[in-house]
Amino acid sequence: MEEKLTPKKIVELLDKYIVGQAEAKKAIAIALRTRYRRHKVKGDIKDEIMPKNILMIGPTGVGKTEIARRIAKITNAPFVKVEASKFTEVGYVGRDVESIIRDLARISYEMVKQEELKKVEDKAKKEAEEKVLDILVPPLKNQSIYNNEEEERLNRTREKFREKLKNGELDDKIIEITVSPQRAEQPMPFIEIAAAPIDEIDSSLRDMLDNLIPGRKKTRKVTVKEALKIFQEEEAQKLIDKDKVKEKAIEKASNDGIVFIDEIDKIVSKSSSTSGPDVSREGVQRDLLPIVEGSSVNTRYGIIKTDHILFIAAGAFHQVKPSDMIPELQGRFPIRVELKPLTKADFVRILKEPKNALIKQYKALLETEGIEINFTDDAIEKISEIAEKINKETENIGARRLHTLLEKLLEDISFEAPDTDKQITIDAAYVENKLANIVEDRDLSRYIL
């Protein structure tokens, strides 16, 4: 799959969801392909090839987050999105930057675990069927006192029930089951050791604590359908090698992980500032530096080296410039791309072209009420024109303005949907009628749109 993800193919896939921003897409595509190339490199030089981290600069709502989110799906890579403003310098109350990598490890573990569970799905399903059949047709406890005829009769009965089970004839039958929860899957109680969060506790200590917590068997009354699902999950958990899952998860996070740091400009202050809260902002930058440069972070699944994790940072940079970042951190984001503000033409394309276009979403939602809603081309033009106008006159929130406009535009239709006409056409006149007053009143549009 990775081999087929050429830079052009990556851009093509991004184009299905994101309008414009060709420069940013190209930079991302090259960074991802470089990562694939590194995997193919042989010898010691492989470890020396560092990822080309990217800094995306542009106003809100132009596609920065969506680009990062989509590439994680395209590459099936562990992905974490964080807001830089949520972190505090070491020594202050708040999240520390290493928690980013712990989150990445957790997501990677879940991804690998689901992959491994998928591999044993068929075997787990068969085991679950046998366990349910043991409840419906209990096996002979002491076979020595029974003759072959009775045993054959029991087997015939069991096979009849097996057929009914596969055909779904017993789905609603209530049975009593005993579940043995896996200790490793039970939530750990919150423990603090020397003020360290639980994720930082040494893994061997965690294993010791796990062993001290006994697994409790629970008896429950459920339908056969529910029992099959419960037993299948339980059997699948037994069939996978959790140590192997942890090992794969660490490798996947270390080599394929993507960290998206949004609002990085919020932890940057003007170079002339030397006191007050700005000092703490610089502290967060300095704390981020070793993670981005390459360091080892202890997680509950093992140690992750961050050297080859791809970091993508983004910010509007209205009040500050990228050059106001501390020099060391600047140097760790060698690729910089500027995303352009969206125009009326972009809004028209956003409403019509992407696979997840807003108009397509509203159509699908109202179809559930049996309503067919159609937007004329002049209506889409009008919505786009209004979005551009409001963005220019108030706060520019990019494509997010379309969400607000469409919600306001379709407010009455959504409210009256169950009792309204089954075919509705939205034209420019309807848009004008619904939104004109709010658009003209700038003070009102500030709060409503």
Side-chain angles (χ1 to χ4, degrees):
M1 179 62 186
E2 275 191 346
E3 195 171 339
K4 294 176 183 177
L5 284 175
T6 62
K8 286 182 181 177
K9 182 65 178 175
I10 292 166
V11 171
E12 187 184 310
L13 291 168
L14 290 173
D15 283 341
K16 290 181 181 180
Y17 297 95
I18 302 144
V19 167
Q21 312 303 356
E23 191 184 343
K25 289 174 184 173
K26 186 177 179 181
I28 291 282
I30 293 169
L32 290 179
R33 192 63 182 182
T34 300
R35 168 174 280 192
Y36 164 74
R37 290 166 185 154
R38 179 188 164 268
H39 283 315
K40 305 283 280 183
V41 170
K42 293 176 182 177
D44 294 340
I45 196 169
K46 180 178 180 178
D47 293 330
E48 302 300 323
I49 300 170
M50 297 300 167
K52 304 299 182 283
N53 297 326
I54 299 166
L55 178 63
M56 293 196 285
I57 304 158
T60 185
V62 295
K64 299 189 297 293
T65 306
E66 190 64 13
I67 287 172
R69 200 162 59 85
R70 288 291 165 191
I71 62 164
K73 287 190 176 182
I74 289 168
T75 58
N76 191 33
F79 174 77
V80 168
K81 175 188 178 290
V82 297
E83 290 179 17
S85 54
K86 296 287 190 291
F87 295 92
T88 58
E89 186 180 355
V90 171
Y92 290 82
V93 175
R95 292 198 77 193
D96 65 289
V97 294
E98 286 194 352
S99 66
I100 299 169
I101 307 304
R102 292 194 292 270
D103 287 345
L104 189 70
R106 176 178 51 77
I107 288 163
S108 183
Y109 178 81
E110 287 302 320
M111 286 179 73
V112 174
K113 185 172 132 184
Q114 290 308 313
E115 288 168 10
E116 294 299 312
L117 288 173
K118 195 79 178 170
K119 290 177 187 175
V120 299
E121 189 176 11
D122 291 340
K123 191 173 181 181
K125 191 175 181 180
K126 287 177 184 175
E127 293 290 338
E129 282 179 4
E130 294 301 325
K131 290 185 86 168
V132 170
L133 284 169
D134 284 344
I135 295 169
L136 294 169
V137 188
L140 300 173
K141 289 184 179 178
N142 190 351
Q143 292 188 12
S144 60
I145 64 172
Y146 296 98
N147 57 39
N148 290 339
E149 192 178 323
E150 286 178 333
E151 192 174 331
E152 284 175 14
R153 182 178 57 80
L154 189 71
N155 287 338
R156 285 196 300 272
T157 306
R158 190 179 178 93
E159 289 310 308
K160 284 179 185 176
F161 270 89
R162 189 190 302 278
E163 196 65 32
K164 288 184 177 184
L165 193 65
K166 286 183 176 177
N167 293 337
E169 295 173 42
L170 304 174
D171 281 358
D172 297 327
K173 182 178 174 63
I174 302 294
I175 59 172
E176 194 173 86
I177 65 170
T178 303
V179 183
S180 302
Q182 298 294 308
R183 284 198 297 265
E185 297 304 310
Q186 288 179 313
M188 285 288 295
F190 182 80
I191 302 169
E192 261 193 29
I193 296 180
I198 192 156
D199 278 341
E200 293 183 56
I201 299 174
D202 183 81
S203 58
S204 60
L205 178 58
R206 289 186 57 82
D207 291 340
M208 184 186 74
L209 290 169
D210 280 338
N211 291 330
L212 292 174
I213 301 172
R216 295 178 183 174
K217 291 189 176 183
K218 292 182 180 179
T219 303
R220 293 169 59 186
K221 285 188 177 180
V222 295
T223 63
V224 166
K225 189 176 182 179
E226 289 172 322
L228 282 168
K229 187 180 177 184
I230 291 166
F231 284 144
Q232 186 175 335
E233 288 175 1
E234 192 179 71
E235 290 303 313
Q237 294 287 351
K238 291 177 186 174
L239 289 167
I240 62 172
D241 183 341
K242 290 186 177 62
D243 288 333
K244 186 180 174 185
V245 172
K246 286 181 183 180
E247 192 178 313
K248 278 189 175 181
I250 290 296
E251 186 182 345
K252 194 176 181 75
S254 300
N255 293 297
D256 299 325
I258 299 170
V259 173
F260 180 67
I261 306 171
D262 203 4
E263 296 186 344
I264 197 164
D265 54 321
K266 299 288 175 64
I267 59 165
V268 178
S269 53
K270 289 183 180 177
S271 49
S272 57
S273 301
T274 55
S275 61
D278 294 327
V279 176
S280 181
R281 287 179 189 172
E282 186 175 309
V284 178
Q285 289 184 65
R286 294 200 178 280
D287 288 346
L288 269 174
L289 188 58
I291 302 292
V292 181
E293 276 184 329
S295 61
S296 297
V297 177
N298 193 20
T299 75
R300 62 179 294 186
Y301 308 105
I303 294 172
I304 287 183
K305 289 186 176 181
T306 67
D307 304 63
H308 300 290
I309 291 171
L310 177 65
F311 288 87
I312 303 170
F317 288 94
H318 289 316
Q319 308 295 326
V320 292
K321 304 185 294 295
S323 57
D324 289 323
M325 294 166 66
I326 61 172
E328 301 93 326
L329 194 58
Q330 282 184 58
R332 289 296 164 178
F333 290 92
I335 300 172
R336 295 185 186 180
V337 288
E338 192 165 349
L339 285 82
K340 298 171 179 63
L342 300 173
T343 63
K344 177 188 169 182
D346 292 324
F347 289 137
V348 170
R349 291 183 62 201
I350 288 167
L351 287 171
K352 293 167 74 174
E353 292 179 16
K355 286 183 75 173
N356 61 339
L358 277 176
I359 284 178
K360 293 175 186 175
Q361 291 179 31
Y362 277 100
K363 278 186 175 183
L365 285 170
L366 289 167
E367 273 175 15
T368 64
E369 302 272 10
I371 295 169
E372 185 184 334
I373 187 164
N374 294 300
F375 288 78
T376 63
D377 287 342
D378 62 350
I380 292 172
E381 290 275 341
K382 194 68 185 174
I383 294 165
S384 303
E385 184 185 309
I386 291 170
E388 184 182 49
K389 179 181 169 69
I390 296 172
N391 273 349
K392 282 180 179 177
E393 294 178 356
T394 60
E395 187 72 24
N396 187 350
I397 59 171
R400 292 190 180 95
R401 185 70 66 190
L402 295 173
H403 289 262
T404 318
L405 282 171
L406 280 172
E407 197 62 38
K408 194 69 188 168
L409 181 68
L410 301 173
E411 187 177 45
D412 291 338
I413 294 172
S414 294
F415 183 76
E416 296 168 9
D419 311 306
T420 195
D421 296 332
K422 297 307 175 187
Q423 278 198 327
I424 299 168
T425 299
I426 306 290
D427 56 17
Y430 185 92
V431 175
E432 188 77 45
N433 181 49
K434 282 287 180 186
L435 301 177
N437 291 339
I438 296 171
V439 173
E440 291 305 318
D441 189 336
R442 292 189 186 182
D443 290 333
L444 191 59
S445 63
R446 247 175 232 283
Y447 295 100
I448 296 178
L449 299 178

